[in-house]
Amino acid sequence: MNVTEAVTTRRSVRQFLDKPVDLETIRRVMDKARWAASGCNYQPWEATILTGKPLAELQEKMKTTPPQQAEYDWTAPGQEEAYTKRLHGVSAGMFGAMGIARDDGQGRMAAMARNTTSFDAPVVMFTYFPRFMKEAQWSDTGMWLATVGLLLREEGLDSCYQEYMALYANVIREHIGIDHDRYMLFCGMAIGYRDPDAPVNNFEREREPLDDTVKFLGFD
Ligand SMILES: Cc1cc2nc3c(=O)[nH]c(=O)nc-3n(C[C@H](O)[C@H](O)[C@H](O)COP(=O)(O)O)c2cc1C
């Protein structure tokens, strides 16, 4: 698989097969991902990857823990219509594929709650960094996560990033044994093999046209 194939075949997978992922494969991916770039080479990212019993135990705890206020805000773009439209686009595609009607608030909530079990993924990674990290290091961590996502594709694996996990940061931190005062829990990542037949893995996604987002100067 070349990079283009990895990029174009990656999508957020929200239904995984009941098929384990072996440690060697996941270690190979994470080992290569260390080569992601970061400002000042700080490599601010840290992660814990769970499968089997420790994952099941965490998911059990999350079932009985009410969601908390997230420690960071992913809603800010909602103040401008252009961004709200993009959010509505993915919601319509995703909930539509699952057969959940627009006005079915409860159905949508239940579908969102599938985040807590990471859409049945056999492996979940939690990413965090010291709280003193600023915008540049959050961005570095995103680049590292993107690298992980593409390397997973190379191994035939799929993923879904999960900022939803920020709603359970306390219980996750406690379960994986990282200090609340030191660490910001950024994101979960569901990892496994996609169910190719699940409609939620097959709806059409949208992207803005290239020339609406990128300017090219001086090429002619
Ligand atoms: C940092 C980050 C966090 C995300 N969190 C979630 C999440 O909590 N739950 C979810 O279903 N999708 C989540 N997504 C997936 C986005 O909805 C998805 O990337 C976007 O709709 C584009 O679709 P695609 O990944 O299939 O190309 C997240 C993506 C990123 C990059």
Side-chain angles (χ1 to χ4, degrees), residues 34 47 77 84 102 109-110 121 124 139 148-149 175 177 182 205 215:
R34 292 184 301 126
T84 324
R102 213 193 143 99
M109 291 269 281
V124 180
S139 159
V148 172
H175 187 75
R182 177 162 173 82
R205 297 162 304 152
K215 279 196 258 185

Side-chain angles (χ1 to χ4, degrees), residues 48-185:
T48 296
I49 304 173
L50 294 83
T51 192
K53 194 159 168 256
L55 178 60
E57 284 171 356
L58 172 61
Q59 290 172 340
E60 203 49 47
K61 285 183 194 169
M62 285 167 70
K63 239 190 238 170
T64 53
T65 309
Q68 65 178 89
Q69 174 81 36
E71 289 170 316
Y72 65 92
D73 183 9
W74 61 71
T75 63
Q79 63 201 321
E80 273 194 17
E81 204 196 319
Y83 297 102
T84 324
K85 219 175 114 218
R86 296 177 198 176
L87 169 64
H88 289 165
V90 65
S91 299
M94 189 174 73
F95 293 125
M98 296 168 92
I100 299 168
R102 213 193 143 99
D103 57 359
D104 181 2
Q106 265 196 336
R108 287 183 169 223
M109 291 269 281
M112 286 305 290
R114 294 185 63 248
N115 269 282
T116 54
T117 47
S118 297
F119 317 107
D120 303 328
V123 173
V124 180
M125 175 168 86
F126 293 101
T127 297
Y128 42 89
F129 36 71
R131 287 181 184 273
F132 53 73
M133 296 298 179
K134 292 277 196 260
E135 288 87 343
Q137 291 81 44
W138 285 64
S139 159
D140 292 338
T141 303
M143 291 170 65
W144 173 77
L145 281 167
T147 306
V148 172
L150 297 181
L151 287 166
L152 287 169
R153 284 305 302 131
E154 191 185 40
E155 298 280 358
L157 282 159
D158 295 291
S159 62
C160 185
Y161 302 109
Q162 294 190 274
E163 60 197 0
Y164 186 90
M165 291 299 185
L167 302 175
Y168 293 88
N170 286 341
V171 65
I172 293 166
R173 267 190 298 255
E174 198 258 339
H175 187 75
I176 64 177
I178 59 166
D179 184 44
H180 174 280
D181 294 339
R182 177 162 173 82
Y183 283 110
M184 169 68 69
L185 185 101

